[in-house]
Amino acid sequence: MTPVSSHAPHGRPPLRTVQVLGGGNAAGGAHVRSLAAGLVARGVRVTVCAPEESDGAYGFTGVGAELVHVPRSSDPASVAALRAACSGADLVHAHGLHASFRTSLALGGRGTPFVVTWHDRAYAEGPRAHFLRVLERRVVRAATVVLGTTSALVDRARRSGARDARLAAVSLPGPRSAPASEEAERRRPKVRAELGAVDRPLIVAVGSLERHLGHDVLVDAAHAWQRLDPAPLVVIAGEGPLHGELRRAVETRDLPVRLLGRREDASDLLAAADVAVLPCRSEDARSTFAQEALHARVPLVASRVGSLPELVGDAAELVPQGNARALADAVTRLLTDPEHRESLVRRGVRQAATWPTEDQTVAQVLAVYDELTQPRPLT
């Protein structure tokens, strides 16, 4: 970060912002922590409204922000708590659809500048899909500015009626420091042993078990890898509605696949992996997993869909979405060709260097805040 001495020129009181987080999105939580740290370093007062347990995961108070416990619920008590926390704020910034909806209820058109960041879009089928579209329209029409992390999300916000929608690609923390990298490398044999991949390749996927993320395609592809010697182990970290279907497919076909459930050590899984796989059918978000894989120098195979080609460039093997055969062939090429793996790793390092830094992300967001807030009177 490049801190400045204060964001309160000429004796004016410092800018006070409220960041509202639902608590269920890892990318959103990491971004809010990074944003809070950068804003505080620039003299901005930051209040984070989120479930209190999120502070243990992201450390908002550790970077100088105030934490106000607001449950994820949209019931009247939660909305009232959020309304009280936003009282007197110069600007309110909500992250994610549900947090943004609660915030729109809490603000109630009081005129406070209201910024919304969309890190992803919510996926659903049937009646719930219609309900989510209604929420999206309400949120973007209430927002002063909508920031989308990808071009697809910006376009979606504009189609839903946003007055002002802009691209604002968020950053992840960069590569681990040397001590952290050394610790991850030290843990690699232990993690592989725990997973059962001591003498076999390890393929890792991370994400909720939902249809649009395509883990069923990865399970189908695993059938082709059984003929390799040794057969690689596929591990999928995540939970969701597709779990039962995936488990039955693995057991019925006796596939070398382990469903790990929810894990808090995705970085350790990646550090232990030989190949990372992102088999999604659609991806409007700026994929956290793809960024983490390239930062971790792990070869990535991903679907050629949505925002992924723009994000990874030539630093990943891109395959048609939903095509288990193409996915299987791409992974097989990587496992059997060390030079190709190393080439992808080198390209990944170059590609990651083109992504915005945390400092650049904070500066862009602060420029939006400055645009939306008027000079405050002297105290």
Side-chain angles (χ1 to χ4, degrees):
M1 297 289 178
T2 306
V4 297
S5 59
S6 174
H7 194 70
H10 310 301
R12 296 191 184 101
L15 185 73
R16 177 174 178 251
T17 72
V18 175
Q19 307 289 323
V20 185
L21 182 67
N25 184 297
H31 173 57
V32 170
R33 183 197 184 280
S34 174
L35 188 57
L39 292 173
V40 169
R42 289 162 170 80
V44 177
R45 291 177 57 199
V46 178
T47 299
V48 176
C49 293
E52 59 187 354
E53 64 269 18
S54 66
D55 196 37
Y58 301 108
F60 303 123
T61 55
V63 298
E66 175 191 6
L67 180 73
V68 174
H69 171 62
V70 176
R72 298 176 190 175
S73 169
S74 295
D75 63 34
S78 296
V79 173
L82 184 54
R83 182 180 299 115
C86 293
S87 178
D90 295 298
L91 180 143
V92 178
H93 188 166
H95 301 262
L97 178 59
H98 295 287
S100 301
F101 175 65
R102 290 196 297 277
T103 305
S104 70
L105 295 177
L107 293 178
R110 67 172 62 174
T112 304
F114 177 30
V115 178
V116 167
T117 291
W118 275 4
H119 298 270
D120 197 352
R121 76 177 180 91
Y123 291 86
E125 299 176 357
R128 180 164 172 75
H130 173 72
F131 171 69
L132 290 176
R133 286 194 296 271
V134 171
L135 282 192
E136 287 180 351
R137 288 195 293 269
R138 172 155 185 171
V139 163
V140 301
R141 291 171 183 176
T144 315
V145 173
V146 177
L147 303 177
T149 61
T150 67
S151 300
L153 291 173
V154 172
D155 291 343
R156 187 177 183 87
R158 288 172 177 161
R159 290 195 302 269
S160 298
R163 291 173 284 171
D164 186 343
R166 312 178 191 183
L167 180 65
V170 304
S171 65
L172 288 181
R176 298 181 182 205
S177 63
S181 298
E182 291 167 5
E183 174 63 17
E185 190 61 29
R186 186 187 66 79
R187 281 186 48 77
R188 176 182 166 92
K190 181 180 179 181
V191 173
R192 291 178 68 94
E194 290 171 350
L195 296 173
V198 174
D199 298 316
R200 61 197 303 193
L202 179 63
I203 300 167
V204 170
V206 176
S208 59
L209 306 184
E210 299 182 57
R211 185 73 57 185
H212 74 277
L213 289 182
H215 291 116
D216 55 320
V217 181
L218 175 56
V219 169
D220 287 342
H223 181 72
W225 300 322
Q226 288 180 303
R227 68 174 184 268
L228 299 179
D229 186 19
L233 174 67
V234 179
V235 297
I236 304 173
E239 55 189 15
L242 213 61
H243 181 272
E245 177 182 327
L246 295 177
R247 179 178 54 78
R248 287 190 294 273
V250 169
E251 293 175 352
T252 300
R253 301 162 70 182
D254 193 25
L255 298 174
V257 177
R258 288 189 59 189
L259 303 177
L260 302 181
R262 183 179 179 87
R263 298 281 293 233
E264 303 296 337
D265 60 346
S267 59
D268 285 340
L269 295 177
L270 268 175
D274 295 294
V275 176
V277 177
L278 187 57
C280 49
R281 289 185 170 87
S282 61
E283 182 60 279
D284 287 345
R286 187 175 175 85
S287 169
T288 299
F289 182 66
Q291 293 177 80
E292 289 175 336
L294 267 59
H295 276 313
R297 304 191 175 202
V298 178
L300 175 67
V301 177
S303 300
R304 187 183 292 108
V305 66
S307 62
L308 282 170
E310 176 186 355
L311 178 65
V312 302
D314 66 351
E317 282 276 353
L318 295 177
V319 299
Q321 64 90 9
N323 191 323
R325 171 53 59 186
L327 176 62
D329 289 346
V331 171
T332 300
R333 284 194 300 273
L334 283 171
L335 292 178
T336 57
D337 188 344
E339 289 187 5
H340 184 37
R341 288 202 304 273
E342 287 303 313
S343 175
L344 269 192
V345 167
R346 289 193 297 272
R347 288 184 232 161
V349 172
R350 290 197 299 269
Q351 183 68 13
T354 70
W355 297 335
T357 64
E358 290 182 272
D359 194 59
Q360 289 167 338
T361 298
V362 173
Q364 182 184 15
V365 171
L366 189 53
V368 174
Y369 292 0
D370 283 339
E371 177 186 335
L372 298 182
T373 55
Q374 298 298 316
R376 289 160 302 286
L378 296 174
T379 55

